[in-house]
Structures are given as C-alpha cells and as structure tokens.
C-alpha cells in the first residue's frame, strides 16, 4: 500500500491504494477511473509523444488537443510518459511496481510478457500485486490472439444477433456494453482480489475480456436459448421475459411501459380501459403474452393512439404502472432528477478551463467521491512521480535507474 498523495484522498475507501494504469481507449481507462474515483492513487503510464490513443480520437475538440473521449475516461489520474521498450524507462516502471497494489494492462496476450512486464515477472518484485489483464477474448483459447473491439465482441458473443428489429440488418447496442462491461468486471475482480489479499497476503492475476463481458451480461438471452433450444432473435425494445414491456406509440410519439407482472398487467388494462383483454386466451398469463407479444401490441395500438405521451405516462404512473417518455441525451441530462442526483458536473482543467462530465453513478454517503485530479495532460506528473520514487530510495538521483532490491 502506497502512502503518497493520501491527504487528497483521505477518507475515501481506496485511499492509500496505488494503481498503475497501463491501458488505452475504454475498458481499462474506465476501470482505473472508477478506482480513482474511490480514492486510489492512479498513475497512468503512457507512451511518450503520443500517449493514450484516445487523446487523438473523435472528430471534435473542445479547446485543447485531447479528445472529449479521453477527458471522459481519465479523471482522478496522474500521467507519466514511459517508453517500456527503453531499459531506463522500464526501470522506472519496476520502481513503481514495488510501490503499487494494482496494475491494469490491456495489451494483446503475450505483449506484456515480451516487454518484461508480465505477471510472473512483476509478482516476483511485488508478491502483493493484483495484476489485471483486459483483452478482447481472454488470455487463453483459440481466439486469444485476435484483435478485440467492442463491436467484434458484441458480434462474436451473440449479442449483436439479438439486437435491433426483427428482420432488420444487424444493429449493435449503441452503448459499448462489451468495453464498459469488461471495465466493470475487471473492477469487481480487482476489489475482490484486494480483499482476498488481506487474508492470503498475496495478490493474483485477473483475466477479463470483452467477449466474456458481453456474454456475462447476456443472462436473459442465454436462458432463452437453453430453455427453448432456439437462439434469441431481435425483438426491438421488448423484453424476453415480460409483456407488455417495451416502447409503444401514442398520438404524438413513443413512450415505454413496464407491466411486468400480473398485478401490473391488470392495472394497466384498467388505465387503458381494455379489461376484456384479460379474458383473451392469448394474453391470460405473462408467458402467453410474451409468446403473443406482437398480437398484443396490435390489439393495443389503436387504443394507445388516442392520447399523448404525456397523458399516458401521467395516467399510468398515477395508477402505479411503470412508464416513461423516451428522452434523448440532451433531455435526460437537462432533467430535474438528473440534476438532483448530481449526474452532471463541471471539471476544472488546465487547458480546457472547465468541461462538463458525467457525475459519479454510485453514491457513497459516508465517503462521497470527488474529483481530485482533472484528466491529466500527457506526462503532466512525470517529474513529480520520479521525485516520489527518489524519496523512497527506489530511483537514483538521476531518476533513470531503479535500485535493485
């Protein structure tokens, strides 16, 4: 456990935990940002000159050269630029490893070992190190060496085949569920390993992948496959386990309803004044409604077209039936509720001045998270981090060579 920078994270759950973030793009940076939000001292190790490739992604900018995508995924981190093919810079990495609790990398399987930073090498230096590798397809298996992106993982996990409208062209989930899911699962593994280390005294290796994240989130779809023997097909906004539970059309647009159990179904019928549908043999039970979902929506279509979205949502909510309008992101982020939940915040930045970002999606009452570091400029903290290592006796005064321990 590292004690540097504890004052600024004092009181947060992961204060004193040091994380080395040797990742790029989305899954790894997202994982490490979540750890940083909880108080970990996250040191982002980036290639010199270019840094994390996401710094240069997206087709628009704010004021500076770093992309909004990079800014969104890298708060609460410090940056140091190291060329891990260079022996002197690799020695700086080794010095950092001796101070670290966690290391996260997302190179293709085998690359980290070739660079001299594989788990076996680093765990000898620091047996307490929790080492997480995030890849497209995992460290083993016939697909391990394939390049992996969210789209590829969605396609090869089956998720893409079950998304979109019946009979339409393939549609990926608009939110990168494989990427972000891998980051979340890696975070879950890291925190579990840190707790386990308190008992065993040793860290361990964590193998997370985009493919397995997409599969791990496919609990409904795989259940349908194994229960029916048929691969799930696209069903638009509908749900595989309940009906009516989907987007439906009112007089002036679409809204969503969630009559997900028998009580809600009966209440829904009262609100829309179609109680006779409960006597229809196609719709008596939820299982039948799921089987005959399209016929059910056809029956409801002329009824729902008589009132506006606002009128239906208000009437259904008043009766206790889950319903809601379909907002775009501008509308959602401008809502009073999102404001009350503090899900939009402004972050001060040395180049941008200030930029808008999503807030913390989990609230901690006893130890509320806060932004301690803006997303770093490339190598912004390189001198500071080397100085810390020299103060610990892990680097010579030149800052170029790690002391062998």
């Amino acid at each position: 456990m590292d004690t540097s920078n504890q004052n600024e994270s004092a009181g947060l759950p992961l204060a004193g935990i040091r994380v080395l973030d040797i990742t790029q793009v989305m899954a790894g940076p997202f994982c490490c940002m979540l750890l940083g939000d909880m108080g970990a001292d996250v040191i982002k190790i980036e290639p010199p000159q270019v840094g994390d490739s996401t710094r240069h992604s997206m087709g628009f900018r704010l004021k500076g050269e770093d992309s909004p995508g990079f800014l969104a995924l890298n708060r609460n981190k410090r940056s140091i630029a190291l060329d891990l093919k260079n022996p002197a810079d690799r020695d700086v990495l080794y010095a950092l490893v001796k101070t670290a609790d966690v290391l996260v990398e997302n190179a293709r399987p085998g690359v980290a070992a070739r660079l001299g930073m594989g788990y076996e090498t680093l765990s000898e230096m620091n047996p307490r190190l929790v080492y997480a590798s995030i890849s497209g397809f995992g460290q083993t298996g016939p697909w391990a060496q394939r390049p992996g992106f969210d789209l590829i993982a969605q396609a090869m996990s089956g998720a893409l085949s079950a998304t979109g409208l019946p009979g339409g062209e393939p549609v990926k989930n608009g939110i990168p569920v494989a990427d972000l899911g891998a980051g979340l699962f890696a975070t879950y593994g890291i925190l579990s390993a840190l707790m386990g280390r308190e008992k065993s005294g040793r860290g361990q290796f964590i193998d997370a992948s985009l493919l397995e994240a997409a599969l791990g989130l496919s609990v409904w779809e795989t259940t349908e496959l194994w229960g029916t023997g048929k691969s799930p097909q696209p069903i638009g906004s509908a749900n595989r386990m309940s009906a009516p539970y989907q987007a439906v059309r009112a007089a002036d647009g679409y809204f969503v309803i969630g009559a997900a159990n028998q009580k809600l179904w009966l209440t829904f019928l009262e609100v829309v004044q179609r109680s006779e549908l409960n006597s229809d043999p196609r719709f008596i039970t939820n299982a039948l409604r799921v089987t005959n979902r399209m016929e059910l929506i056809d029956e409801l279509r002329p009824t729902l077209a008589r009132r506006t979205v606002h009128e239906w949502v208000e009437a259904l909510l008043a009766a206790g039936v889950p319903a809601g309008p379909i907002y775009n992101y501008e509308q959602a982020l401008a809502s009073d509720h999102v404001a009350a939940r503090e899900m939009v915040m402004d972050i001060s930045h040395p180049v941008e001045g200030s930029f808008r970002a999503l807030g913390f999606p989990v609230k901690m009452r006893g130890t509320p998270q806060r932004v301690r570091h803006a997303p770093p400029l490339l190598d912004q903290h390189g001198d500071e981090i080397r100085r810390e290592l020299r103060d610990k006796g892990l680097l010579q005064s030149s800052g170029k060579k790690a002391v062998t321990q």
Side-chain angles (χ1 to χ4, degrees):
M1 182 176 293
D2 191 77
T3 57
S4 301
N5 294 283
Q6 278 201 63
N7 289 339
E8 61 191 14
S9 60
L12 292 173
L14 296 183
I17 296 293
R18 172 165 284 182
V19 177
L20 305 184
D21 175 4
I22 315 180
T23 69
Q24 299 192 50
V25 189
M26 185 169 290
F30 183 60
C31 165
C32 294
M33 182 179 73
L34 295 178
L35 297 172
D37 287 350
M38 291 297 182
D41 175 25
V42 180
I43 296 178
K44 186 173 182 68
I45 297 171
E46 303 184 70
Q49 283 81 54
V50 294
D52 182 333
S53 61
T54 310
R55 288 184 183 272
H56 314 290
S57 67
M58 307 183 79
F60 59 95
R61 292 289 183 274
L62 300 177
K63 296 178 182 177
E65 295 184 1
D66 289 337
S67 77
F70 176 86
L71 298 177
L73 290 162
N74 289 283
R75 68 179 175 234
N76 285 329
K77 301 179 184 181
R78 299 188 289 160
S79 172
I80 182 172
L82 296 177
D83 178 0
L84 298 180
K85 296 180 181 179
N86 179 292
D89 278 6
R90 197 159 55 241
D91 284 344
V92 175
L93 170 66
Y94 291 160
L96 282 169
V97 166
K98 293 170 185 175
T99 73
D101 299 277
V102 177
L103 182 146
V104 186
E105 62 89 17
N106 67 345
R108 196 177 299 188
V111 171
R114 289 197 296 274
L115 289 172
M117 49 171 274
Y119 173 67
E120 288 73 16
T121 298
L122 300 189
S123 64
E124 288 184 7
M125 301 177 187
N126 181 356
R128 291 175 57 82
L129 184 68
V130 173
Y131 186 114
S133 289
I134 303 175
S135 60
F137 296 93
Q139 302 297 305
T140 60
W143 296 349
Q145 289 301 317
R146 290 192 180 204
F149 289 106
D150 178 84
L151 174 62
I152 312 304
Q154 286 198 40
M156 297 183 69
S157 66
L160 199 70
S161 74
T163 306
L165 295 171
E169 66 179 43
V171 177
K172 78 175 182 69
N173 192 307
I175 294 173
V177 291
D179 256 328
L180 296 177
L184 285 168
F185 282 127
T187 304
Y188 154 74
I190 288 166
L191 295 176
S192 298
L194 287 173
M195 291 185 68
R197 190 181 71 173
E198 295 304 304
K199 301 174 184 178
S200 69
R202 294 189 61 88
Q204 61 178 293
F205 181 80
I206 296 166
D207 179 359
S209 77
L210 276 62
L211 178 80
E212 287 157 294
L215 279 172
L217 296 171
S218 298
V219 288
W220 276 170
E221 289 70 23
T222 51
T223 297
E224 181 176 331
L225 168 64
W226 291 322
T228 67
K230 298 179 181 178
S231 231
Q233 298 300 303
I235 56 174
S237 63
N239 184 274
R240 300 185 186 281
M241 299 294 173
S242 305
Y245 189 106
Q246 66 182 84
V248 291
R249 188 172 183 86
D252 60 344
Y254 285 90
F255 68 103
V256 291
I257 53 175
N261 58 45
Q262 195 67 12
K263 180 181 178 181
L264 289 173
W265 161 246
L266 295 175
T267 305
F268 169 76
L269 291 181
E270 290 177 7
V271 174
V272 300
Q273 298 181 0
R274 293 294 305 274
S275 295
E276 81 281 359
L277 290 179
N278 192 49
S279 301
D280 191 312
R282 297 172 295 173
F283 311 135
I284 292 173
T285 66
N286 180 65
L288 288 168
R289 292 193 292 276
V290 170
T291 300
N292 300 301
R293 180 188 300 110
M294 295 181 69
E295 293 91 335
L296 173 60
I297 299 304
D298 285 342
E299 286 282 355
L300 292 170
R301 186 171 289 113
T303 300
L304 297 175
R306 295 172 188 162
R307 301 175 72 179
T308 66
V309 166
H310 177 75
E311 289 171 333
W312 279 126
V313 169
E314 290 298 306
L316 289 166
L317 290 178
V321 179
I326 298 174
Y327 288 155
N328 60 32
Y329 279 110
E330 183 178 9
Q331 293 169 315
L333 294 172
S335 70
D336 291 341
H337 185 78
V338 168
R341 296 295 296 170
E342 299 180 338
M343 277 305 295
V344 177
M345 62 182 177
D346 292 311
I347 297 179
S348 298
H349 187 272
V351 174
E352 303 296 343
S354 177
F355 68 92
R356 189 158 290 181
L358 289 175
F360 305 110
V362 174
K363 279 33 178 194
M364 307 283 285
R365 287 190 179 182
T367 56
Q369 306 97 306
R370 57 185 181 273
V371 178
R372 309 181 320 279
H373 299 289
L377 304 176
L378 178 59
D379 201 34
Q380 180 180 342
H381 305 92
D383 291 341
E384 171 183 295
I385 292 166
R386 284 183 170 87
R387 184 168 60 251
E388 291 172 5
L389 294 173
R390 288 196 297 270
D391 291 345
K392 292 177 181 293
L394 294 173
L395 282 181
Q396 293 180 353
S397 59
S398 65
K400 295 297 184 182
K401 185 175 177 58
V403 176
T404 302
Q405 290 191 337

